[in-house]
């Protein structure tokens, strides 16, 4: 059929709101760009079968002119753009990949949230930018509770040669060990891995690299001091207590060690010796230093009750929680009334 007849037939089907037939007519005449524009303007869903029909066939001998190659890439990327607009992430990824645009393919696949396919695509693409994008995405998942995800993050940053990002991830791991598990030994180990990464980076690639390494080393030193202090408590509690007091006086302690953990050790030590007055004073000091602190996060209930019972008062944190709940209940009742 002549181009004019095809155009008129397609227009007729559009007027009749038979958009699928209009797309089919255009494709039969190899008017792929026009059919895609019709799909976009009239919200015709591009099925997998339709997408394959729109995909230009590669010559069997792979002999193509530069113009033909450029046309194929433009068509595939436009098709992928249309598929992405419709939220068909996997199909769009496939077409971007066929067009040779792995970066855009990965960006599209990331929107699908399909972790297995994202990991697979990163592995088969073997492209630095793709590895880094995959690692960045995996950090948004629960990598703390999934060793495989953590392993892939480290592996992808390594393969992508993104040493600064890898160092930042190790630093993040160290903070998790402190915040969630109070494991300062493992935190120090993670920071040591971060330092190894920074040492491999050329000073030309990172701004203020030496300052970053210096700050990391400072935090590692503080963490090791506290970890060592806890480890010697059983054999030499007096030396441990002295080191904890020294740490509390260090103005940089907050950059690495949670002061609540240091206070917690000292308070527990005094409670064990039944030095309730000193334990109580340290609690008050901690509450002044950490406004709004939840004492039960650093001290077990038995220790707190023993200290406050010795002073004839209730544990403040428990009483505060009860009052807050009662106030919430009263507000709800007032709103219902």
């Amino acid at each position: 059929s002549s181009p004019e007849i095809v155009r008129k037939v397609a227009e007729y089907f559009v007027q009749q709101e038979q958009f699928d037939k209009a797309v089919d007519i255009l494709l039969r005449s190899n008017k792929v760009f026009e059919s895609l524009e019709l799909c976009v303007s009239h919200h015709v869903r591009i099925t997998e079968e339709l997408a394959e029909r729109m995909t230009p066939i590669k010559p069997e001998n792979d002999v193509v002119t530069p113009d033909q190659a450029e046309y194929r890439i433009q068509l595939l990327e436009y098709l992928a753009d249309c598929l992405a607009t419709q939220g068909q992430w996997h199909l769009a990824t496939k077409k971007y990949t066929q067009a040779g645009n792995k970066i855009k393919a990965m960006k599209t696949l990331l929107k699908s949230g399909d972790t297995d396919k994202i990991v697979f695509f990163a592995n088969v693409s073997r492209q630095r930018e793709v590895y880094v994008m995959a690692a960045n995405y995996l950090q948004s998942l629960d990598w703390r509770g999934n060793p495989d995800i953590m392993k892939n993050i480290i592996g992808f940053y390594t393969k992508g040669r993104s040493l600064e990002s890898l160092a930042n991830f190790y630093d993040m791991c160290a903070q998790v060990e402190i915040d969630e598990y109070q494991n300062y030994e493992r935190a120090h180990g993670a920071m040591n891995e971060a330092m190894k990464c920074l040492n491999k980076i050329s000073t030309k690639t990172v701004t203020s690299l030496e300052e970053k390494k210096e700050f990391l080393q400072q935090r590692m030193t503080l963490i090791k001091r506290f970890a060592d202090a806890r480890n010697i408590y059983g054999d030499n509690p007096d030396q441990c207590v002295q080191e904890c007091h020294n740490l509390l006086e260090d103005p940089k302690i907050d950059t690495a060690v949670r002061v609540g953990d240091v206070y917690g050790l000292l308070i527990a030590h005094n409670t064990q010796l039944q030095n309730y007055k000193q334990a109580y004073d340290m609690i008050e000091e901690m509450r002044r230093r950490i406004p709004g602190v939840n004492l039960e996060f650093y001290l077990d209930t038995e220790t707190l009750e023993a200290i406050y019972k010795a002073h004839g008062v209730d544990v403040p944190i428990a009483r505060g929680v009860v009052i807050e709940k009662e106030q919430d209940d009263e507000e709800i009742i007032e709103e219902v009334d």
Side-chain angles (χ1 to χ4, degrees), residues 217-255:
Q217 185 60 61
Q218 167 194 300
R219 292 165 60 216
M220 289 175 65
T221 300
L222 289 168
I223 284 175
K224 190 173 189 308
R225 284 176 60 189
F226 182 55
D228 289 346
R230 292 200 310 182
N231 288 335
I232 65 171
Y233 181 80
D235 297 327
N236 195 336
D238 291 339
Q239 184 178 343
C240 168
V241 168
Q242 182 57 53
E243 179 67 348
C244 285
H245 281 294
N246 292 339
L247 283 168
L248 288 175
E249 293 175 2
D250 194 311
K252 299 177 181 178
I253 183 68
D254 288 310
T255 64

Side-chain angles (χ1 to χ4, degrees), residues 35-48 50-51 54 79-89 91-92:
S35 65
L36 278 170
E37 290 173 350
L38 189 61
C39 289
V40 172
S41 59
H42 293 284
H43 309 290
V44 178
R45 186 168 182 78
I46 305 172
T47 63
E48 186 171 2
L50 199 57
M54 293 174 171
L79 172 56
D81 290 342
C82 295
L83 288 164
T85 301
Q86 295 184 354
Q88 302 199 67
W89 312 121
L91 266 178

Side-chain angles (χ1 to χ4, degrees), residues 80-130:
D81 290 342
C82 295
L83 288 164
T85 301
Q86 295 184 354
Q88 302 199 67
W89 312 121
H90 292 122
L91 266 178
T93 298
K94 180 179 179 181
K95 297 308 166 186
Y96 282 130
T97 303
Q98 290 176 339
N101 194 333
K102 293 180 181 179
I103 302 298
K104 213 164 184 179
M106 177 54 99
K107 287 181 178 179
T108 303
L109 186 57
L110 290 174
K111 295 178 182 178
S112 73
D114 191 329
T115 302
D116 290 340
K117 283 187 170 57
I118 290 169
V119 170
F120 175 80
F121 187 81
N123 281 320
V124 299
S125 295
R126 298 184 179 182
Q127 193 165 326
R128 287 178 58 180
E129 294 87 345
V130 173

